[in-house]
Amino acid sequence: QRFRTNRTSTIKRIEILKESVKKMKSFPNYSSNSIWGLRILVLSLGLALCLPNLHPSAAWADSSQKLYKEARKGFISLRKMSVKRQTRQAWNRCLDRFHRVIENDARGVFTDKCYYFLGRSHHSLYKIYKEQQDFNSAVVYYRKLVSEKPGSRLADDAQYLLATLFYIRDEASAY
């Protein structure tokens, strides 16, 4: 289905390009040498529009998106497990996946989401193991999200989770 849709839109684009070349022939100063230059220009632009997925950044974006989806899926499945089955090793694999997404995401499209899930992962680890390093890491990632991506829709969630994290540790410090 998707291939058929892309193929149809590509065929339409090529037809539009052919029509524009035909229209160029009707210009008053038409000569065969100048029209060939225009044809090559129009066709090369057309190919650039028809084949956007061949650009390396598109492949990079696809791989970042794929890595993010896998990392998020791992996080969700880990959260669904009972606390007794959630091992530190499994959480560390989850953390590594989100770090890999950040390293792979050149444009920073998934950075806010990764900071959020890194904070959530460390938050969960702190709830289970009560280790200070997990608390500190959760605070770092929540604050990074709020400071580096304040316009993100996850920034206010991070602030709320930061307050709940402090509340878990010490009710007085949450205010």
Side-chain angles (χ1 to χ4, degrees):
Q1 180 86 25
R2 182 178 172 199
F3 173 74
R4 193 174 293 153
T5 305
N6 287 342
R7 185 171 180 226
T8 305
S9 64
T10 302
I11 291 171
K12 287 179 183 177
R13 289 177 186 166
I14 291 172
E15 288 173 3
I16 291 169
L17 290 171
K18 285 180 182 178
E19 287 295 319
S20 63
V21 169
K22 285 180 186 176
K23 288 179 183 177
M24 280 190 273
K25 287 183 179 180
S26 65
F27 287 133
N29 296 330
Y30 167 75
S31 72
S32 63
N33 288 338
S34 63
I35 198 67
W36 277 108
L38 288 173
R39 280 184 179 176
I40 291 171
L41 177 66
V42 169
L43 288 175
S44 62
L45 288 172
L47 284 175
L49 291 172
C50 294
L51 305 172
N53 292 333
L54 294 181
H55 193 274
S57 68
W60 194 323
D62 288 343
S63 68
S64 294
Q65 185 175 18
K66 184 179 177 183
L67 284 172
Y68 170 73
K69 284 182 178 180
E70 289 173 6
R72 186 173 181 273
K73 184 179 175 182
F75 173 84
I76 291 169
S77 66
L78 195 55
R79 288 280 302 194
K80 287 181 180 178
M81 286 183 195
S82 68
V83 174
K84 291 181 180 180
R85 293 184 61 210
Q86 296 177 12
T87 63
R88 180 169 285 281
Q89 184 180 16
W91 279 108
N92 286 338
R93 280 195 304 270
C94 182
L95 292 167
D96 290 341
R97 286 184 190 129
F98 284 113
H99 284 293
R100 208 172 318 125
V101 174
I102 291 172
E103 291 169 6
N104 214 21
D105 187 19
R107 290 185 281 164
V109 176
F110 300 103
T111 305
D112 59 336
K113 296 175 182 107
C114 288
Y115 285 160
Y116 176 77
F117 282 111
L118 285 166
R120 291 273 314 263
S121 299
H122 284 290
H123 193 144
S124 297
L125 279 168
Y126 180 71
K127 280 181 174 179
I128 297 168
Y129 298 106
K130 302 288 186 213
E131 291 186 13
Q132 187 64 32
Q133 70 182 24
D134 296 321
F135 176 85
N136 293 339
S137 295
V139 169
V140 165
Y141 285 113
Y142 287 146
R143 286 186 176 162
K144 251 185 170 179
L145 171 57
V146 171
S147 65
E148 291 181 18
K149 303 282 187 172
S152 170
R153 61 185 183 87
L154 295 171
D156 59 340
D157 294 352
Q159 286 179 321
Y160 173 76
L161 289 169
L162 189 59
T164 61
L165 186 64
F166 277 104
Y167 184 77
I168 291 169
R169 190 178 77 172
D170 179 23
E171 290 182 26
S173 68
Y175 300 102

